């Protein structure tokens, strides 16, 4: 079972998630972190930024791989995930830009982009800790409902719901690309530790379906139930539809100190 950590605020969630990253880096300075975009991981990145700025954490050797990218945005577009990762992660956390990778969303060579990314991941030795958000339709990365649990990095068509959800980052919904390239569910399951974050009422149904619902490709997030090491950090609002919330709180409150996150 995944470990479900229900916290009182998004800021606390960021600190708990940052502890997991810090613990990983303490074990191995050049660990491989799987990076998510969207609003959800921002509190984690800000918590790490504070620790780096305070001198208590050095991430300069950390390697990173983004989950996904839009296909066909002009090079340097401020909403491309390459730009978002540079702005939100690489610069504030002082990572080495040459060690951080994002799938190649350029249409000219898109046919081979998935296989090239998988090869890069393999060469790096795989992902140690994968940060994940959750779409309101249950997607992880950009694996929309119906995505195979065995899927690897490939091009997907975004659902209308995801395009509407992400329209807030663009001038209009029409500007949100139709296609994306994303690590597959199978790629995500190869990471050695999954760290799923979800905040707010809008994620409550998707979270309950992912954590407690049946295993189904119709809820790609439910694939986390197949993984032996999963940490889910959520706020009260996102946790509000979990049937076993009291048990998760009880287990967290009684967690042996030596276990860590
Ligand atoms: C986006 C991203 C996902 C993200 C999810 C949730 O479209 N591709 O990686 O986890 O949808 O987004 P947000 O965190 O903004 O709610």
């Amino acid at each position: 079972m995944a470990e479900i950590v229900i916290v009182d605020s998004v800021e606390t969630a960021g600190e708990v998630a940052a502890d997991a990253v810090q613990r990983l880096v303490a074990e191995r300075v050049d660990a491989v972190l799987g990076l998510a975009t969207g609003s959800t991981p921002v509190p984690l990145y800000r918590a790490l930024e504070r620790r780096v700025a305070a001198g208590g954490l050095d991430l300069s050797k950390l390697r990173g791989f983004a989950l996904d990218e839009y296909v066909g945005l002009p090079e340097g577009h401020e909403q491309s995930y390459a730009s978002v990762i540079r702005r939100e992660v690489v610069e504030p956390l002082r990572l080495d830009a040459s060690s951080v990778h994002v799938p190649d969303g350029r249409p000219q060579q898109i046919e081979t982009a998935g296989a090239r990314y998988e090869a890069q991941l393999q060469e790096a030795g795989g992902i140690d800790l994968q940060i994940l958000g959750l779409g309101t339709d249950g997607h992880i990365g950009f694996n929309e409902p119906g995505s195979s649990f065995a899927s690897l990095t490939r091009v997907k068509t975004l659902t209308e719901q995801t395009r509407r959800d992400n329209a807030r980052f663009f001038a209009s919904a029409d500007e949100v690309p139709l296609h994306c390239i994303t690590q597959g569910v199978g790629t995500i399951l190869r990471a050695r530790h999954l760290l799923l974050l979800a905040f707010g009422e809008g994620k409550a149904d998707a979270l309950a379906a992912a954590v407690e619902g049946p295993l189904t490709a119709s809820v790609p997030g439910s694939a986390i139930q197949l993984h032996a090491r999963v940490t889910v950090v959520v706020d009260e609002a996102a946790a509000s539809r979990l049937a076993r919330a009291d048990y998760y709180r009880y287990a967290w409150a009684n967690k042996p100190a030596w276990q860590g996150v």
Side-chain angles (χ1 to χ4, degrees):
M1 194 197 82
E3 174 167 59
I4 319 293
V5 187
I6 303 170
V7 294
D8 55 1
S9 72
V10 171
E11 290 69 34
T12 308
E15 296 294 339
V16 171
D19 288 346
V21 175
Q22 184 150 8
R23 199 179 154 107
L24 173 69
V25 175
E27 281 165 19
R28 199 152 65 84
V29 284
D30 66 342
V32 180
L33 188 64
L35 301 164
T37 47
S39 352
T40 305
V42 171
L44 159 63
Y45 298 144
R46 294 297 73 82
L48 290 172
E49 182 181 4
R50 285 192 292 275
R51 295 178 193 196
V52 169
L57 180 62
D58 177 5
L59 299 177
S60 59
K61 300 266 187 327
L62 189 70
R63 294 172 289 161
F65 282 87
L67 272 172
D68 45 20
E69 176 60 292
Y70 291 111
V71 171
L73 284 179
E75 193 119 17
H77 189 289
E78 58 166 19
Q79 290 307 327
S80 75
Y81 285 168
S83 298
V84 173
I85 292 284
R86 182 175 23 78
R87 206 163 55 230
E88 298 282 338
V89 182
V90 173
E91 289 171 359
L93 307 192
R94 302 179 200 167
L95 266 54
D96 177 351
S98 66
S99 305
V100 178
H101 310 278
V102 178
D104 182 357
R106 287 174 295 178
Q108 299 83 346
Q109 49 253 46
I110 196 68
E111 279 176 52
T112 58
R116 280 187 278 122
Y117 203 62
E118 288 291 333
Q120 276 184 303
L121 278 165
Q122 210 159 12
E123 206 174 308
I127 289 171
D128 292 303
L129 177 64
Q130 176 63 59
I131 300 158
L132 294 171
L134 187 64
T136 58
D137 64 1
H139 73 232
I140 48 175
F142 265 140
N143 294 283
E144 298 287 27
S147 294
S148 162
F149 283 2
S151 52
L152 301 179
T153 307
R154 73 228 181 281
V155 171
K156 289 288 289 181
T157 307
L158 296 174
T159 61
E160 281 301 318
Q161 186 175 335
T162 297
R163 294 185 69 226
R164 266 198 310 275
D165 283 350
N166 288 2
R168 67 187 192 278
F169 296 113
F170 294 83
S172 75
D174 294 344
E175 276 185 37
V176 184
L178 277 170
H179 296 104
C180 63
I181 173 164
T182 180
Q183 284 189 33
V185 179
T187 316
I188 292 168
L189 290 176
R190 286 176 183 168
R192 288 179 271 279
H193 182 187
L194 303 181
L195 178 60
L196 177 81
L197 308 175
F199 308 124
E201 176 76 33
K203 299 291 174 74
D205 285 328
L207 183 78
V211 171
E212 295 179 337
L215 261 181
T216 170
S218 298
V219 180
S222 69
I224 64 169
Q225 297 175 39
L226 290 168
H227 198 287
R229 190 167 179 216
V230 183
T231 308
V232 177
V233 185
V234 295
D235 65 357
E236 294 284 348
S240 58
R241 310 246 153 81
L242 292 172
R244 287 186 290 276
D246 288 343
Y247 172 68
Y248 307 141
R249 288 193 187 90
Y250 174 77
W252 178 247
N254 292 292
K255 188 180 166 84
W258 56 265
Q259 275 186 333
V261 175

